[in-house]
Coordinates of all heavy atoms in Angstrom, one line a residue:
M443 N 104.2 -161.4 56.2 CA 103.9 -162.5 55.5 C 105.2 -163.4 55.7 O 106.3 -163.1 55.6 CB 103.8 -162.2 54.0 CG 103.9 -163.5 53.2 SD 103.8 -163.3 51.4 CE 105.4 -162.5 51.2
D444 N 104.9 -164.7 56.2 CA 106.0 -165.7 56.3 C 105.9 -166.5 55.1 O 105.1 -167.2 54.8 CB 105.7 -166.4 57.6 CG 106.7 -167.5 57.8 OD1 107.3 -168.0 56.8 OD2 107.0 -167.7 59.1
V445 N 107.0 -166.3 54.2 CA 107.0 -167.0 53.0 C 107.2 -168.4 53.2 O 106.5 -169.3 52.4 CB 108.3 -166.4 52.1 CG1 108.5 -167.3 50.9 CG2 108.0 -164.9 51.8
R446 N 108.0 -168.8 54.1 CA 108.2 -170.3 54.3 C 106.7 -171.0 54.7 O 106.5 -172.0 54.2 CB 109.2 -170.5 55.5 CG 109.6 -172.0 55.6 CD 110.5 -172.2 56.8 NE 110.9 -173.6 56.9 CZ 110.0 -174.5 57.2 NH1 108.8 -174.4 57.4 NH2 110.6 -175.9 57.2
E447 N 106.1 -170.4 55.6 CA 104.7 -170.9 55.9 C 103.9 -171.1 54.7 O 103.2 -172.0 54.6 CB 104.1 -170.1 57.1 CG 104.8 -170.4 58.3 CD 104.8 -171.9 58.8 OE1 103.6 -172.6 58.8 OE2 105.9 -172.5 59.1
N448 N 103.9 -170.1 53.9 CA 103.0 -170.0 52.6 C 103.6 -171.2 51.6 O 102.7 -171.8 51.0 CB 103.1 -168.8 52.0 CG 102.1 -167.7 52.6 OD1 100.8 -167.9 52.4 ND2 102.6 -166.8 53.3
V449 N 104.9 -171.4 51.6 CA 105.4 -172.5 50.8 C 104.9 -173.8 51.4 O 104.5 -174.7 50.6 CB 106.9 -172.4 50.7 CG1 107.5 -173.6 49.9 CG2 107.4 -171.2 49.9
V450 N 105.1 -174.0 52.6 CA 104.6 -175.1 53.3 C 103.1 -175.5 53.0 O 102.6 -176.5 52.7 CB 104.8 -175.1 54.9 CG1 104.1 -176.2 55.6 CG2 106.3 -175.2 55.2
T451 N 102.3 -174.4 53.1 CA 100.8 -174.5 52.7 C 100.6 -174.9 51.3 O 99.8 -176.0 51.2 CB 100.1 -173.1 53.0 OG1 100.3 -172.7 54.3 CG2 98.7 -173.2 52.6
V452 N 101.3 -174.5 50.4 CA 101.1 -174.9 49.0 C 101.7 -176.3 49.0 O 101.1 -177.1 48.3 CB 102.1 -173.9 48.1 CG1 102.1 -174.6 46.6 CG2 101.5 -172.6 48.1
M453 N 102.8 -176.7 49.6 CA 103.2 -178.1 49.5 C 102.3 -179.1 50.3 O 102.1 -180.2 49.6 CB 104.6 -178.2 50.1 CG 105.7 -177.4 49.5 SD 106.2 -178.1 47.9 CE 107.2 -179.4 48.4
R454 N 101.6 -178.6 51.2 CA 100.5 -179.5 51.9 C 99.4 -179.8 50.9 O 98.9 -180.8 50.8 CB 100.1 -178.8 53.1 CG 100.9 -178.9 54.3 CD 100.3 -178.4 55.5 NE 101.1 -178.5 56.7 CZ 101.0 -177.7 57.8 NH1 100.2 -176.7 57.8 NH2 101.8 -177.9 58.7
G455 N 99.1 -178.8 50.1 CA 98.2 -178.8 49.0 C 98.5 -179.8 47.9 O 97.6 -180.3 47.4
A456 N 99.8 -180.0 47.8 CA 100.4 -181.0 46.8 C 100.4 -182.4 47.6 O 101.1 -183.4 46.8 CB 101.7 -180.5 46.3
G457 N 100.1 -182.6 48.8 CA 100.1 -183.9 49.4 C 101.3 -184.1 50.3 O 101.5 -185.3 50.9
F458 N 102.0 -183.2 50.7 CA 103.1 -183.3 51.6 C 102.7 -183.0 53.0 O 101.8 -182.0 53.2 CB 104.3 -182.6 51.3 CG 104.9 -182.9 49.9 CD1 104.5 -182.3 48.8 CD2 106.0 -183.8 50.0 CE1 105.1 -182.6 47.6 CE2 106.4 -184.2 48.8 CZ 106.1 -183.6 47.6
E459 N 103.2 -183.6 53.9 CA 103.0 -183.4 55.4 C 103.9 -182.2 56.0 O 105.1 -182.1 55.4 CB 103.2 -184.6 56.3 CG 102.3 -185.7 55.9 CD 100.9 -185.3 56.2 OE1 100.5 -184.7 57.1 OE2 100.0 -185.9 55.4
G460 N 103.5 -181.3 56.7 CA 104.3 -180.2 57.1 C 105.7 -180.6 57.9 O 106.6 -180.0 57.6
E461 N 105.5 -181.7 58.6 CA 106.7 -182.1 59.4 C 107.8 -182.7 58.4 O 108.9 -182.7 58.9 CB 106.3 -183.0 60.5 CG 105.6 -184.3 60.0 CD 104.2 -184.2 60.0 OE1 103.6 -183.1 60.2 OE2 103.5 -185.2 59.7
E462 N 107.5 -183.1 57.2 CA 108.5 -183.6 56.3 C 109.2 -182.4 55.5 O 110.0 -182.8 54.9 CB 108.0 -184.6 55.5 CG 106.9 -184.2 54.4 CD 106.4 -185.3 53.6 OE1 107.2 -186.3 53.3 OE2 105.2 -185.2 53.3
L463 N 108.7 -181.3 55.7 CA 109.2 -180.0 55.0 C 110.3 -179.4 55.8 O 110.2 -178.1 55.8 CB 108.2 -179.3 54.4 CG 107.2 -180.0 53.6 CD1 106.0 -179.1 53.3 CD2 107.8 -180.4 52.3
A464 N 111.3 -180.0 56.2 CA 112.5 -179.2 56.8 C 113.3 -178.6 55.9 O 113.4 -179.1 54.7 CB 113.3 -180.4 57.8
D465 N 114.0 -177.5 56.2 CA 114.7 -176.7 55.4 C 115.8 -177.6 54.6 O 116.0 -177.4 53.4 CB 115.3 -175.6 56.1 CG 114.4 -174.5 56.4 OD1 113.3 -174.6 55.9 OD2 114.9 -173.7 57.3
D466 N 116.4 -178.5 55.3 CA 117.5 -179.3 54.7 C 117.0 -180.6 53.9 O 117.9 -181.3 53.4 CB 118.6 -179.7 55.7 CG 118.0 -180.6 56.8 OD1 116.8 -180.7 56.9 OD2 118.8 -181.2 57.6
R467 N 115.8 -180.8 53.8 CA 115.3 -182.0 53.1 C 115.6 -181.8 51.7 O 115.2 -180.8 51.1 CB 113.8 -182.2 53.4 CG 113.4 -182.4 54.7 CD 114.0 -183.7 55.4 NE 113.6 -184.9 54.7 CZ 112.6 -185.8 55.0 NH1 111.8 -185.5 55.9 NH2 112.4 -186.8 54.3
R468 N 116.2 -182.9 51.1 CA 116.5 -182.8 49.8 C 115.3 -183.3 48.8 O 114.6 -184.0 49.2 CB 117.6 -183.8 49.4 CG 119.0 -183.3 50.1 CD 120.0 -184.4 50.0 NE 119.6 -185.6 50.6 CZ 120.2 -186.7 50.8 NH1 121.4 -186.9 50.1 NH2 119.7 -187.8 51.4
I469 N 115.1 -182.5 47.7 CA 114.0 -182.6 46.9 C 113.8 -184.0 46.3 O 112.7 -184.6 46.5 CB 113.9 -181.6 45.6 CG1 113.9 -180.1 46.3 CG2 112.9 -181.8 44.7 CD1 112.7 -179.6 46.8
A470 N 114.7 -184.5 45.8 CA 114.6 -185.9 45.1 C 114.8 -187.0 46.1 O 113.9 -187.8 46.3 CB 115.7 -185.9 44.0
E471 N 115.8 -186.9 47.0 CA 116.2 -188.2 47.7 C 115.4 -188.0 48.9 O 115.0 -189.3 49.4 CB 117.7 -187.9 48.3 CG 118.7 -187.9 47.1 CD 118.9 -186.5 46.4 OE1 118.2 -185.6 46.7 OE2 119.9 -186.4 45.6
D472 N 115.0 -187.1 49.6 CA 114.2 -187.2 50.8 C 112.8 -187.0 50.7 O 112.0 -187.7 51.4 CB 114.8 -186.1 51.9 CG 116.2 -186.2 52.2 OD1 116.7 -187.3 52.3 OD2 116.9 -185.2 52.5
L473 N 112.3 -186.0 49.8 CA 111.0 -185.7 49.6 C 110.4 -186.6 48.4 O 109.1 -186.6 48.2 CB 110.7 -184.4 49.4 CG 111.1 -183.4 50.5 CD1 111.0 -181.9 50.1 CD2 110.3 -183.7 51.6
D474 N 111.3 -187.4 47.7 CA 110.8 -188.3 46.7 C 110.1 -187.6 45.6 O 109.1 -188.0 45.1 CB 110.1 -189.4 47.2 CG 110.0 -190.6 46.3 OD1 111.0 -190.9 45.5 OD2 109.1 -191.4 46.4
I475 N 110.5 -186.3 45.2 CA 109.8 -185.5 44.2 C 110.7 -185.7 42.9 O 111.9 -185.5 42.8 CB 109.9 -184.1 44.6 CG1 109.0 -183.8 45.8 CG2 109.4 -183.2 43.4 CD1 109.1 -182.3 46.4
D476 N 109.9 -186.2 41.8 CA 110.7 -186.4 40.6 C 110.5 -185.1 39.7 O 109.9 -184.1 40.2 CB 110.3 -187.6 39.8 CG 108.7 -187.6 39.5 OD1 108.1 -186.5 39.4 OD2 108.1 -188.7 39.2
S477 N 111.1 -185.1 38.5 CA 111.1 -183.9 37.8 C 109.7 -183.4 37.4 O 109.3 -182.2 37.4 CB 111.9 -184.1 36.6 OG 111.4 -185.1 35.8
T478 N 108.8 -184.4 37.1 CA 107.3 -184.1 36.8 C 106.6 -183.4 38.0 O 106.0 -182.4 38.0 CB 106.6 -185.4 36.3 OG1 107.2 -185.8 35.2 CG2 105.1 -185.0 36.0
E479 N 106.8 -184.1 39.2 CA 106.3 -183.6 40.4 C 106.8 -182.1 40.8 O 106.1 -181.2 41.2 CB 106.5 -184.5 41.5 CG 105.6 -185.7 41.4 CD 106.0 -186.8 42.3 OE1 107.3 -186.9 42.7 OE2 105.3 -187.6 42.8
L480 N 108.0 -182.0 40.5 CA 108.7 -180.6 40.7 C 108.1 -179.5 39.9 O 107.8 -178.5 40.4 CB 110.2 -180.7 40.5 CG 110.9 -179.4 40.9 CD1 110.7 -178.9 42.4 CD2 112.5 -179.5 40.6
V481 N 107.8 -179.9 38.7 CA 107.1 -179.0 37.7 C 105.6 -178.6 38.4 O 105.4 -177.5 38.4 CB 107.0 -179.5 36.3 CG1 106.0 -178.6 35.5 CG2 108.3 -179.6 35.7
E482 N 105.1 -179.6 38.9 CA 103.8 -179.4 39.5 C 103.9 -178.5 40.7 O 103.0 -177.6 41.0 CB 103.0 -180.7 39.9 CG 102.7 -181.5 38.6 CD 102.1 -182.9 39.0 OE1 102.0 -183.2 40.1 OE2 101.9 -183.7 38.1
V483 N 104.8 -178.6 41.5 CA 105.0 -177.9 42.6 C 105.4 -176.4 42.3 O 104.8 -175.4 42.9 CB 106.2 -178.4 43.6 CG1 106.8 -177.5 44.5 CG2 105.7 -179.8 44.3
V484 N 106.3 -176.3 41.4 CA 106.7 -175.0 40.8 C 105.4 -174.2 40.4 O 105.2 -173.0 40.7 CB 107.8 -175.1 39.9 CG1 108.0 -173.6 39.1 CG2 109.1 -175.4 40.5
V485 N 104.6 -174.9 39.5 CA 103.4 -174.2 39.0 C 102.4 -173.8 40.3 O 101.9 -172.7 40.1 CB 102.7 -175.3 38.1 CG1 101.2 -174.7 37.7 CG2 103.4 -175.3 36.8
A486 N 102.3 -174.7 41.2 CA 101.5 -174.3 42.4 C 102.0 -173.0 43.2 O 101.3 -172.3 43.5 CB 101.3 -175.6 43.3
L487 N 103.3 -173.1 43.2 CA 103.9 -171.9 43.8 C 103.7 -170.7 43.0 O 103.5 -169.6 43.6 CB 105.4 -172.2 44.1 CG 105.8 -173.2 45.1 CD1 107.4 -173.6 45.2 CD2 105.4 -172.8 46.5
E488 N 103.9 -170.8 41.7 CA 103.8 -169.6 40.8 C 102.4 -169.1 41.0 O 102.1 -167.9 41.1 CB 104.0 -170.0 39.4 CG 105.4 -170.3 39.2 CD 105.7 -170.6 37.7 OE1 104.9 -171.4 37.1 OE2 106.8 -170.4 37.1
Q489 N 101.3 -170.0 41.0 CA 100.0 -169.6 41.1 C 99.7 -169.0 42.5 O 98.9 -168.0 42.5 CB 99.1 -170.8 40.8 CG 99.0 -171.2 39.3 CD 98.3 -172.5 39.2 OE1 97.9 -173.2 40.0 NE2 98.0 -172.9 37.8
H490 N 100.1 -169.6 43.4 CA 99.8 -169.0 44.8 C 100.4 -167.8 45.1 O 99.8 -166.8 45.7 CB 100.4 -170.1 45.8 CG 100.2 -169.6 47.2 ND1 98.9 -169.8 47.9 CD2 100.9 -168.8 48.1 CE1 99.0 -169.3 49.1 NE2 100.2 -168.7 49.3
F491 N 101.7 -167.6 44.5 CA 102.5 -166.3 44.9 C 102.4 -165.3 43.9 O 102.8 -164.1 43.9 CB 103.9 -166.6 45.2 CG 104.1 -167.3 46.6 CD1 104.3 -168.6 46.6 CD2 104.2 -166.6 47.7 CE1 104.5 -169.2 47.8 CE2 104.4 -167.1 48.9 CZ 104.6 -168.5 49.0
G492 N 101.9 -165.6 42.5 CA 101.7 -164.7 41.5 C 103.1 -164.4 41.0 O 103.4 -163.2 40.5
I493 N 104.0 -165.3 40.9 CA 105.4 -165.2 40.3 C 105.6 -166.1 39.3 O 104.8 -167.0 38.9 CB 106.4 -165.4 41.5 CG1 106.2 -166.8 42.1 CG2 106.3 -164.4 42.7 CD1 107.3 -167.1 43.1
S494 N 106.7 -165.8 38.6 CA 107.2 -166.8 37.4 C 108.6 -167.3 37.9 O 109.5 -166.5 38.2 CB 107.3 -166.0 36.2 OG 107.8 -166.8 35.2
I495 N 108.7 -168.6 38.0 CA 110.0 -169.2 38.5 C 110.6 -170.0 37.4 O 110.0 -170.8 36.6 CB 109.7 -170.3 39.5 CG1 109.0 -169.6 40.8 CG2 110.8 -171.0 39.9 CD1 108.5 -170.6 41.9
D496 N 111.7 -169.5 37.0 CA 112.5 -170.1 36.1 C 113.4 -171.1 36.6 O 114.5 -170.8 37.1 CB 113.2 -169.0 35.1 CG 114.1 -169.7 33.9 OD1 114.2 -171.0 33.9 OD2 114.5 -168.9 33.1
A497 N 113.0 -172.3 36.7 CA 113.9 -173.3 37.4 C 115.2 -173.5 36.9 O 116.2 -173.7 37.6 CB 113.1 -174.7 37.5
D498 N 115.5 -173.3 35.6 CA 116.7 -173.5 35.0 C 117.7 -172.5 35.4 O 118.8 -172.5 35.6 CB 116.6 -173.5 33.4 CG 115.9 -174.8 33.0 OD1 116.1 -175.8 33.7 OD2 115.3 -174.8 31.9
A499 N 117.1 -171.2 35.3 CA 117.8 -170.0 35.8 C 118.2 -170.1 37.2 O 119.2 -169.5 37.6 CB 117.0 -168.6 35.5
E500 N 117.4 -170.7 38.0 CA 117.6 -170.7 39.5 C 118.7 -171.9 39.8 O 119.1 -172.0 40.9 CB 116.3 -171.1 40.1 CG 115.3 -170.0 40.2 CD 115.7 -168.7 40.9 OE1 116.4 -168.9 41.8 OE2 115.2 -167.8 40.5
G501 N 119.1 -172.6 38.7 CA 120.1 -173.6 38.9 C 119.5 -174.9 39.5 O 120.3 -175.7 40.0
G502 N 118.3 -175.1 39.5 CA 117.6 -176.2 40.0 C 117.4 -176.1 41.5 O 118.1 -175.2 42.1
F503 N 116.6 -176.9 42.0 CA 116.3 -177.0 43.5 C 116.8 -178.2 44.0 O 116.4 -179.3 43.6 CB 114.8 -176.7 43.7 CG 114.2 -175.6 43.0 CD1 113.4 -175.6 41.9 CD2 114.6 -174.2 43.6 CE1 112.9 -174.5 41.4 CE2 114.1 -173.1 43.1 CZ 113.3 -173.3 41.9
R504 N 117.8 -178.1 45.1 CA 118.2 -179.3 45.7 C 117.5 -179.6 47.0 O 117.3 -180.8 47.4 CB 119.7 -179.2 46.0 CG 120.5 -179.1 44.6 CD 121.9 -178.9 44.8 NE 122.6 -180.1 45.6 CZ 122.8 -181.2 45.1 NH1 122.6 -181.6 43.8 NH2 123.3 -182.2 45.8
T505 N 117.1 -178.6 47.8 CA 116.5 -178.7 49.0 C 115.2 -177.9 49.1 O 114.9 -177.1 48.3 CB 117.4 -178.3 50.2 OG1 117.6 -176.9 50.0 CG2 118.8 -178.9 50.3
F506 N 114.4 -178.2 50.1 CA 113.2 -177.4 50.3 C 113.5 -176.0 50.6 O 112.8 -175.0 50.1 CB 112.5 -178.0 51.6 CG 111.3 -177.2 52.0 CD1 110.0 -177.3 51.1 CD2 111.3 -176.5 53.1 CE1 108.9 -176.5 51.5 CE2 110.2 -175.7 53.4 CZ 109.1 -175.8 52.6
R507 N 114.6 -175.7 51.3 CA 114.9 -174.4 51.5 C 115.4 -173.6 50.2 O 115.1 -172.3 50.2 CB 116.3 -174.4 52.5 CG 116.7 -172.9 52.8 CD 115.7 -172.4 53.7 NE 115.7 -171.0 53.7 CZ 114.9 -170.1 54.4 NH1 114.1 -170.6 55.2 NH2 115.0 -168.8 54.3
D508 N 115.8 -174.3 49.2 CA 116.0 -173.7 47.9 C 114.7 -173.2 47.3 O 114.7 -172.0 46.7 CB 116.7 -174.6 46.9 CG 118.1 -175.2 47.2 OD1 118.7 -174.3 48.1 OD2 118.6 -176.2 46.8
L509 N 113.6 -173.9 47.5 CA 112.3 -173.3 47.0 C 111.9 -172.2 47.7 O 111.5 -171.2 47.1 CB 111.3 -174.6 47.1 CG 111.3 -175.7 46.2 CD1 110.4 -176.8 46.6 CD2 111.0 -175.3 44.8
V510 N 112.0 -172.2 49.0 CA 111.6 -171.1 49.9 C 112.4 -169.9 49.6 O 111.8 -168.8 49.4 CB 111.8 -171.4 51.4 CG1 111.5 -170.2 52.2 CG2 110.8 -172.5 51.8
D511 N 113.7 -170.1 49.4 CA 114.7 -168.9 49.1 C 114.3 -168.3 47.8 O 114.3 -167.2 47.6 CB 116.1 -169.3 49.1 CG 116.6 -169.6 50.5 OD1 115.9 -169.2 51.5 OD2 117.7 -170.2 50.6
C512 N 114.0 -169.2 46.7 CA 113.7 -168.7 45.4 C 112.4 -167.8 45.5 O 112.3 -166.8 44.9 CB 113.5 -169.9 44.5 SG 112.8 -169.4 42.8
V513 N 111.4 -168.4 46.1 CA 110.1 -167.6 46.3 C 110.4 -166.3 47.0 O 109.9 -165.2 46.6 CB 109.0 -168.4 47.0 CG1 107.9 -167.6 47.3 CG2 108.6 -169.6 46.1
D514 N 111.1 -166.5 48.2 CA 111.4 -165.1 48.9 C 112.2 -164.1 48.0 O 111.9 -162.9 48.2 CB 112.2 -165.7 50.2 CG 112.3 -164.4 51.2 OD1 111.4 -163.6 51.2 OD2 113.3 -164.4 51.8
R515 N 113.1 -164.5 47.3 CA 114.0 -163.7 46.5 C 113.1 -163.0 45.5 O 113.1 -161.8 45.1 CB 115.0 -164.5 45.8 CG 116.2 -163.7 45.0 CD 117.4 -164.5 44.6 NE 117.1 -165.7 44.0 CZ 117.3 -166.9 44.6 NH1 117.7 -166.9 45.9 NH2 116.9 -168.0 44.0
L516 N 112.2 -163.8 44.7 CA 111.2 -163.3 43.7 C 110.4 -162.3 44.4 O 110.0 -161.2 43.7 CB 110.6 -164.4 42.9 CG 111.5 -165.3 42.0 CD1 110.7 -166.3 41.7 CD2 112.1 -164.4 40.8
L517 N 109.8 -162.6 45.4 CA 108.7 -161.7 46.1 C 109.5 -160.4 46.6 O 109.0 -159.3 46.3 CB 108.2 -162.3 47.2 CG 107.2 -163.3 46.9 CD1 106.7 -164.1 48.1 CD2 106.0 -162.9 46.1
S518 N 110.7 -160.5 47.1 CA 111.4 -159.3 47.5 C 111.7 -158.4 46.3 O 111.9 -157.3 46.5 CB 112.8 -159.7 48.2 OG 112.5 -160.4 49.5
A519 N 112.0 -159.0 45.2 CA 112.3 -158.3 43.9 C 111.0 -157.7 43.3 O 111.1 -157.0 42.4 CB 113.0 -159.1 43.0
G520 N 109.9 -157.9 44.1 CA 108.6 -157.4 43.5 C 108.1 -158.3 42.4 O 107.3 -157.6 41.5
A521 N 108.4 -159.5 42.3 CA 108.0 -160.2 41.1 C 106.6 -160.8 41.3 O 106.1 -161.6 40.5 CB 108.9 -161.4 40.9
G522 N 106.0 -160.6 42.4 CA 104.6 -161.1 42.6 C 103.9 -160.8 43.8 O 104.4 -159.9 44.6
A523 N 102.8 -161.2 44.0 CA 102.0 -161.1 45.2 C 101.4 -162.3 45.8 O 101.0 -163.1 45.0 CB 100.9 -159.9 45.0
V524 N 101.3 -162.4 47.1 CA 100.7 -163.6 47.7 C 99.2 -163.6 47.5 O 98.6 -162.6 47.7 CB 101.0 -163.8 49.2 CG1 100.5 -164.9 49.9 CG2 102.5 -163.8 49.5
R525 N 98.8 -164.7 47.0 CA 97.3 -164.9 46.9 C 96.8 -165.8 48.0 O 97.4 -166.8 48.2 CB 97.0 -165.6 45.6 CG 97.3 -164.6 44.5 CD 97.0 -165.3 43.1 NE 97.6 -164.4 42.0 CZ 98.0 -164.9 40.9 NH1 98.3 -166.1 40.7 NH2 98.5 -164.0 40.0
S526 N 95.7 -165.4 48.6 CA 95.2 -166.1 49.7 C 94.0 -167.0 49.3 O 93.3 -166.7 48.3 CB 94.8 -165.4 50.8 OG 95.8 -164.6 51.3

């Protein structure tokens, strides 16, 4: 399973284009995601991967890579399963 590709798939479902989802793209400044949209993205990731993301505990997400790393870390810890 490629976690990054699955995160891109979820983000595409939220209206983003795959090519704009580079690892170093900043959530707010580059992807123009506000706090409400970030909650929607996090919920979509939780539903897709069957995980629970505590954004506060994660220290917030600054880049797209932070989202991917968080999902990867939670999945590696056995916190969920990918849903297709």
